[in-house]
């Protein structure tokens, strides 16, 4: 491992930037982002991610964070305490604290979960996931990227993994920060092509090199469990199946049949392996198609289901795309509701951070109205405990879902 570039990460003392303070501003709410417009003459010549000190117009201390002149989010806050310096020790301590908060999650039934959830664990821009004996991390901000070697050393010391893998790629947030992709093993063994993990006693193969996010949708663990309770003897449509998460849980709960629908052939191939690897119940069908068209086609063929899952990718990356996203959710949910038998169950999700829960519910309710059916909300779903939300940071709560019964 390389030595940290301490010079870049922390000028001593850090450069001071003046921030415009207003009553109720983001800093006073301890929101971890400061936008470019809130800074007085933001400098263009500081290295990406460098630690800066924010002061108000009278020179009074307001906090410290990492600075990126290329991003709309100019400063990501690390501390509001004048006595707390942003050092290697602070990053290492916060990583150890976050990992410590998950200690109760480790058991023989589940060995893959999130260890660090970025701003929500007071580590802006850093994602760390445990996959069995391996640890995978991703830096999504210039600040976290600059501290990469510190982060790697801390993770090796705290988690003692068999291998540490970096997956800092494939996310538009890194592009917005002006960062190049960085992928590879930083410590220990190379991970196998398909790493086997345990989720509630089920086994999943995960491609941590090229899979979505860091390889698996760890955020849906609790929701898969909630859905399984509806699946005994059911015909299930697993829309946007990816590598099988919901469908494998459904099979394990005794589903009569599961249709796994996804537009990605490699994801469906791994889905098939995951179904077979668990020897779960039911007939399993794999459909590699665009879900929008496939749901309509099933309707035309007169197919019906007891349970439909909709877990699409993010439709709205920012507030500007909300209206279009709401239309997309409505269309998809309308098609799904039309496929449900009386008393059937819809499990539907949105992982668009910009789409707040009431707006998403409204889109689903409008879909039910257009289908001429009533939906009874039976469960409101969100993140599991390894994906906590910092309450001063609503953006951290991106995953929302519901289970509703059609009457
Ligand atoms: N439910 C999954 C995660 C879904 S992620 C789980 O539990 O692991 C979203 C999935 O939607 C991805 O696998 C992606 O390939 C797929 N996808 C994206 N656009 C699609 C489309 N138009 N039709 C079908 N699948 C799509």
């Amino acid at each position: 491992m390389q030595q940290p570039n301490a010079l870049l990460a922390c000028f001593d003392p850090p450069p001071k930037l003046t921030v415009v303070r207003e009553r109720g501003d983001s800093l006073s709410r301890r929101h971890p982002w400061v936008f470019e417009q809130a800074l007085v003459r933001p400098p263009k010549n500081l290295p990406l991610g460098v630690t800066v000190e924010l002061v108000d117009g009278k020179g009074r201390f307001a906090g410290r964070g990492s600075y990126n002149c290329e991003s709309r989010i100019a400063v990501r806050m690390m501390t509001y305490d004048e006595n707390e310096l942003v050092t290697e020790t602070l990053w290492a301590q916060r990583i150890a604290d976050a990992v410590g908060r998950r200690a109760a999650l480790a058991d023989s039934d589940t060995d893959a979960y999130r260890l660090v959830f970025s701003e929500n664990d007071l580590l802006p821009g850093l994602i760390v996931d445990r996959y069995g004996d391996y640890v995978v991390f991703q830096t999504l901000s210039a600040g976290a990227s600059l501290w990469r070697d510190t982060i790697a050393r801390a993770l090796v010391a705290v988690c003692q993994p068999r291998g540490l893998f970096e997956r800092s790629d494939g996310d538009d947030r890194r592009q917005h920060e002006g960062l190049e992709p960085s992928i590879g093993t930083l410590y220990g063994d190379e991970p196998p092509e398909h790493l086997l993990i345990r989720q509630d006693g089920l086994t999943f193969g995960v491609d941590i090199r090229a899979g979505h996010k860091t390889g698996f949708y760890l955020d849906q663990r609790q929701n898969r469990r909630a859905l399984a309770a509806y699946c005994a003897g059911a015909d299930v449509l697993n829309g946007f199946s990816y590598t099988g998460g919901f469908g494998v849980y459904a099979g394990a709960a005794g589903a009569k049949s599961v249709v796994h629908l996804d537009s990605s052939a490699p994801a469906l191939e791994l889905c098939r392996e995951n179904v077979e690897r668990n020897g779960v119940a039911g007939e399993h069908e794999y459909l590699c198609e665009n879900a929008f068209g496939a749901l309509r086609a099933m309707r035309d063929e007169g197919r019906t289901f007891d349970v439909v899952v909709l877990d699409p990718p993010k439709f709205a990356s920012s507030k500007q795309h909300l209206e279009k996203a709401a239309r997309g959710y409505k269309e998809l949910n309308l098609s799904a509701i039309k496929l449900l038998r009386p008393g059937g169950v819809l499990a539907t999700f949105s992982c668009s951070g910009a789409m707040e829960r009431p707006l998403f519910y409204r889109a689903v309710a409008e879909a039910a109205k257009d289908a001429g059916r009533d939906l009874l909300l039976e469960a409101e779903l969100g993140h599991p405990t390894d994906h906590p939300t910092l309450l001063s940071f609503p953006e951290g709560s991106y995953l929302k879902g519901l289970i509703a019964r059609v009457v």
Side-chain angles (χ1 to χ4, degrees):
M1 249 182 276
Q2 297 168 318
Q3 290 303 305
N5 196 338
L7 203 66
L8 286 185
C10 41
F11 283 108
D12 188 18
K16 283 189 181 165
L17 308 191
T18 303
V19 61
V20 181
R21 300 300 312 257
E22 288 163 4
R23 185 184 279 270
D25 64 10
S26 70
L27 275 175
S28 58
R29 284 183 278 122
R30 292 172 83 99
H31 187 289
W33 294 347
V34 175
F35 287 93
E36 195 184 2
Q37 317 80 278
L39 296 176
V40 179
R41 287 185 301 281
K44 290 286 173 202
N45 57 354
L46 288 176
L48 293 191
V50 73
T51 300
V52 294
E53 188 163 301
L54 296 184
V55 294
D56 69 12
K58 295 189 174 142
R60 286 175 303 204
F61 178 86
R64 297 189 183 96
S66 55
Y67 178 64
N68 183 353
C69 62
E70 294 197 7
S71 169
R72 273 176 61 241
I73 305 169
V75 183
R76 290 178 193 255
M77 299 305 295
M78 285 294 288
T79 183
Y80 310 90
D81 176 355
E82 193 161 4
N83 297 317
E84 192 166 53
L85 299 176
V86 181
T87 60
E88 175 153 359
T89 313
L90 182 71
W91 276 85
Q93 186 56 50
R94 291 208 179 156
I95 288 172
D97 290 347
V99 172
R101 285 192 283 276
R102 274 77 169 177
L105 277 172
D107 65 33
S108 55
D109 274 355
T110 297
D111 67 2
Y113 44 85
R114 180 144 293 184
L115 292 173
V116 175
F117 185 26
S118 204
E119 277 80 352
N120 304 287
D121 276 304
L122 312 183
L123 288 160
L126 176 63
I127 297 289
V128 184
D129 291 331
R130 176 186 168 200
Y131 288 104
D133 298 334
Y134 290 82
V135 168
V136 183
F137 77 97
Q138 193 167 54
T139 60
L140 298 172
S141 69
S145 182
L146 201 58
W147 289 95
R148 182 186 83 147
D149 298 320
T150 295
I151 290 165
R153 260 196 301 279
L155 287 172
V156 169
V158 174
C159 307
Q160 302 184 332
R162 181 158 161 195
L164 177 69
F165 196 82
E166 181 175 21
R167 264 303 299 277
S168 299
D169 70 318
D171 193 298
D172 51 7
R173 284 172 287 184
R174 268 185 79 84
Q175 283 159 22
H176 295 152
E177 292 275 311
L179 300 168
E180 296 295 325
S182 175
I183 309 171
T185 299
L186 293 188
Y187 165 85
D189 292 354
E190 287 279 330
E193 191 189 343
H194 286 171
L195 186 63
L196 295 186
I197 59 158
R198 302 280 287 163
Q199 298 281 283
D200 293 316
L202 298 166
T203 304
F204 289 90
V206 176
D207 179 357
I208 63 178
R209 283 187 182 74
H212 294 180
K213 299 218 213 194
T214 58
F216 196 71
Y217 287 85
L218 296 167
D219 51 359
Q220 289 283 23
R221 186 177 56 254
Q222 180 172 288
N223 302 333
R224 294 184 187 117
R225 221 182 286 157
L227 179 88
Y230 292 88
C231 292
D235 290 318
V236 178
L237 171 58
N238 183 18
F240 305 89
S241 65
Y242 187 48
T243 57
F246 284 98
V248 170
Y249 272 67
K256 188 157 126 230
S257 72
V258 184
V259 177
H260 304 270
L261 167 62
D262 202 284
S263 55
S264 155
L268 276 180
E269 188 45 44
L270 194 44
C271 174
R272 182 194 300 271
E273 286 175 27
N274 285 332
V275 167
E276 286 168 5
R277 160 174 298 134
N278 288 283
V280 295
E283 269 176 49
H284 291 260
E285 185 184 333
Y286 305 89
L287 261 189
C288 190
E289 280 178 35
N290 181 338
F292 284 86
L295 293 183
R296 278 195 300 268
M298 286 183 193
R299 164 76 177 164
D300 294 343
E301 289 160 19
R303 284 189 81 165
T304 57
F305 295 89
D306 300 301
V307 174
V308 176
V309 180
L310 290 180
D311 185 21
K314 191 156 61 174
F315 284 171
S317 53
S318 68
K319 297 241 185 260
Q320 290 99 288
H321 304 117
L322 272 182
E323 228 172 274
K324 189 159 171 255
R327 281 199 301 277
Y329 287 118
K330 180 179 162 187
E331 180 185 340
L332 206 53
N333 281 278
L334 173 59
S335 299
I337 292 166
K338 286 181 175 170
L339 294 177
L340 281 168
R341 295 173 188 151
V345 165
L346 173 69
T348 181
F349 297 91
S350 159
C351 60
S352 307
M355 183 96 190
E356 288 172 14
R357 193 176 281 271
L359 211 57
F360 177 57
Y361 281 19
R362 196 179 313 149
V364 180
E366 281 180 15
K369 183 201 72 182
D370 283 8
R373 302 180 86 174
D374 290 309
L375 275 185
L376 308 185
L377 181 64
E378 293 200 357
E380 304 200 73
L381 306 175
H383 306 200
T385 54
D386 51 332
H387 292 64
T389 305
L390 176 68
L391 271 184
S392 59
F393 180 55
E395 293 83 347
S397 172
Y398 66 96
L399 179 64
K400 60 218 73 82
L402 60 88
I403 293 183
R405 199 182 286 278
V406 168
V407 290

